[in-house]
Amino acid sequence: MKRSLFHACALCIGATSVQAGGLDRSGQGVNILFEEGSAVQFRLGYTKPDVSGSMEDQIPGSPTFGQQVDSGNVSNSFFTPHLAYKTSLTEKLDFALVYDQPFGADIDYSADYPLSQNVLALAGLPGTTTDVLRAEADTDAITALLRYKLDNGFSVIGGVRAQRLKASVSVPIAGAGATPTAGAYRVETDAEIDFGYVVGVAWERPDIAARVALTYNSKITHDLSQTESNDVINGFIFPPGIPTVGRVSADSSTEVITPQSVNLDFQTGVAPRTLLFGSVRWVDWPQTVYAPPVYTGLTGINLVDYEEATWTYSLGLGYQFTDEFSGAVTLGYESSQGNSVSNLGPTDGFWSIGLGGTYSLEKAKISGGVRYTDIGDATANGTGPDNRATFTGNSAWSVGIQVTYALD
């Protein structure tokens, strides 16, 4: 089975990924370890989501009180870069260095959405902040991997991952009691680098292009330094006795975990020039809890948490049309959990279809792919248990390009 066929299949999964949980982006793959000899690889994916919903405005004083208000497209487009280098240190030992962005978020609601309203501003207080529901989180990871080949096609994989995390979140809040005392909360973290590890096993049978690889990615614990701020009533103008609003801030620290995960990747030749391939990915999202102390003190709840882990599946078929060109199609699926989700990630499951192709030159393989994702309907937290936001009919388009160059 020609190597170009595997590249076409891999691109369907990797270069056009738009993953689960609203945060999972790169998939943390290790396929570069199975390249022959020494090679460098560049991949860039681009995803354009269209995620919108609506909810009834039940906030007193709001200009749209009692009306259904559209959120607008809350999910911004994003790129997923990937750089990798692989070499054979000995006949049995391979080394790879991989850069990717495993997790990320970029959420931005319209200013007139009910949950973007600062309750202090709606109360007519001067000096308040507006347009307050948005979130951005970025991770960058560098992973050093080793693969040691055993007998009978088996090998073991191990490595260390350095990961950088930075985030900012703005949400509306209301203090306890009948009268709002605080609003427009924002947290801005410093960039923090911490470490995790990768372990795995693999089996190959080259004569039928068969391979199974099972890898475990450890959780990474970040102790984030951050600045929390919010609007607060701080005095009165006299006359006429109107309270004024100021902005207060405090430095704090919070532990947050990017979750452990398990990847199972497999492929096998099923007919001449034909490859069946797929993957299963499990991500332990309940490990991820973000509870900045000022926010939890004001609201009594976590800023970010998840109820259930996610399972993501893909299955595809590749065909080598000529010695130079191969193509592949893949289907992806993640089941919905049925729970109410955060407004900072208003999706629940998906299905997808992707097409990829690879053209092989003497030392380079150039791949391209496109993927359509139907994003699952979701019910998001609202202003109360009887007032939820609904997100339906959402989707995403992704495109990607990958170049792998042999150095031998």
Side-chain angles (χ1 to χ4, degrees):
M1 191 73 60
K2 297 290 187 180
R3 303 291 292 184
S4 60
L5 179 52
F6 169 72
H7 279 267
C9 299
L11 189 73
C12 280
I13 298 175
T16 59
S17 64
V18 50
Q19 294 285 348
L23 294 173
D24 200 0
R25 290 193 172 174
S26 76
Q28 298 176 306
V30 298
N31 285 328
I32 186 67
L33 277 172
F34 301 100
E35 289 290 332
E36 295 177 349
S38 297
V40 292
Q41 188 176 83
F42 166 78
R43 184 167 69 227
L44 183 64
Y46 173 77
T47 296
K48 183 177 177 56
D50 185 359
V51 178
S52 63
S54 66
M55 69 176 295
E56 183 180 345
D57 188 349
Q58 295 184 359
I59 301 176
S62 170
T64 56
F65 180 75
Q67 303 175 28
Q68 283 290 129
V69 181
D70 191 9
S71 69
N73 185 14
V74 304
S75 187
N76 293 322
S77 302
F78 59 89
F79 289 93
T80 49
H82 164 98
L83 294 169
Y85 166 76
K86 183 263 176 181
T87 191
S88 297
L89 301 178
T90 69
E91 289 186 0
K92 288 184 172 291
L93 186 63
D94 295 328
F95 168 78
L97 192 66
V98 180
Y99 166 80
D100 65 355
Q101 295 179 347
F103 306 104
D106 193 355
I107 299 293
D108 191 357
Y109 282 76
S110 65
D112 60 351
Y113 192 63
L115 296 183
S116 284
Q117 305 301 314
N118 183 344
V119 292
L120 300 183
L122 294 176
L125 303 181
T128 51
T129 304
T130 60
D131 190 20
V132 293
L133 185 53
R134 62 182 71 234
E136 185 174 354
D138 297 300
T139 60
D140 299 275
I142 295 178
T143 307
L145 297 165
L146 289 172
R147 175 185 174 228
Y148 185 77
K149 301 172 186 175
L150 305 172
D151 296 332
N152 299 317
F154 288 94
S155 59
V156 292
I157 297 167
V160 63
R161 173 174 289 126
Q163 181 175 272
R164 172 187 176 273
L165 171 64
K166 189 177 189 299
S168 64
V169 181
S170 297
V171 294
I173 56 173
T179 303
T181 59
Y185 171 85
R186 179 176 175 83
V187 59
E188 183 87 26
T189 77
D190 294 336
E192 180 74 20
I193 299 175
D194 290 284
F195 296 88
Y197 61 89
V198 181
V199 293
V201 294
W203 172 83
E204 289 184 291
R205 183 178 165 184
D207 60 315
I208 59 170
R211 178 195 305 152
V212 179
L214 179 69
T215 53
Y216 169 79
N217 301 284
S218 76
K219 69 179 183 181
I220 297 180
T221 302
H222 294 275
D223 189 8
L224 295 176
S225 299
Q226 61 209 3
T227 299
E228 300 180 76
S229 61
N230 59 273
D231 287 352
V232 64
I233 296 176
N234 63 1
F236 291 86
I237 301 172
F238 184 81
I242 300 174
T244 61
V245 174
R247 190 80 180 164
V248 296
S249 64
D251 294 333
S252 62
S253 63
T254 303
E255 182 180 283
V256 64
I257 292 171
T258 56
Q260 64 182 349
S261 63
V262 176
N263 289 1
L264 174 65
D265 299 283
F266 58 90
Q267 67 172 64
T268 185
V270 292
R273 295 176 172 260
T274 306
L275 189 74
L276 178 72
F277 62 95
S279 67
V280 180
R281 177 166 165 83
W282 171 81
V283 184
D284 191 11
W285 284 110
Q287 287 190 321
T288 300
V289 176
Y290 187 35
V294 172
Y295 181 82
T296 56
L298 288 167
T299 66
I301 60 175
N302 300 322
L303 182 56
V304 176
D305 56 25
Y306 298 90
E307 293 188 27
E308 297 184 28
T310 56
W311 290 85
T312 307
Y313 308 89
S314 69
L315 185 67
L317 196 66
Y319 186 77
Q320 186 177 9
F321 294 95
T322 69
D323 288 344
E324 293 79 22
F325 181 74
S326 300
V329 59
T330 185
L331 299 175
Y333 174 74
E334 179 183 287
S335 61
S336 62
Q337 299 175 359
N339 301 317
S340 183
V341 301
S342 168
N343 288 281
L344 303 180
T347 64
D348 190 11
F350 67 83
W351 69 265
S352 67
I353 183 169
L355 297 173
T358 293
Y359 189 80
S360 298
L361 304 173
E362 183 177 352
K363 284 197 168 187
K365 300 178 183 68
I366 303 171
S367 305
V370 61
R371 181 180 183 183
Y372 171 78
T373 301
D374 184 275
I375 297 172
D377 297 344
T379 300
N381 301 324
T383 56
D386 298 324
N387 184 32
R388 306 283 189 179
T390 56
F391 288 78
T392 61
N394 296 315
S395 61
W397 283 96
S398 304
V399 295
I401 187 170
Q402 175 176 290
V403 178
T404 303
Y405 187 82
L407 300 176
D408 294 337

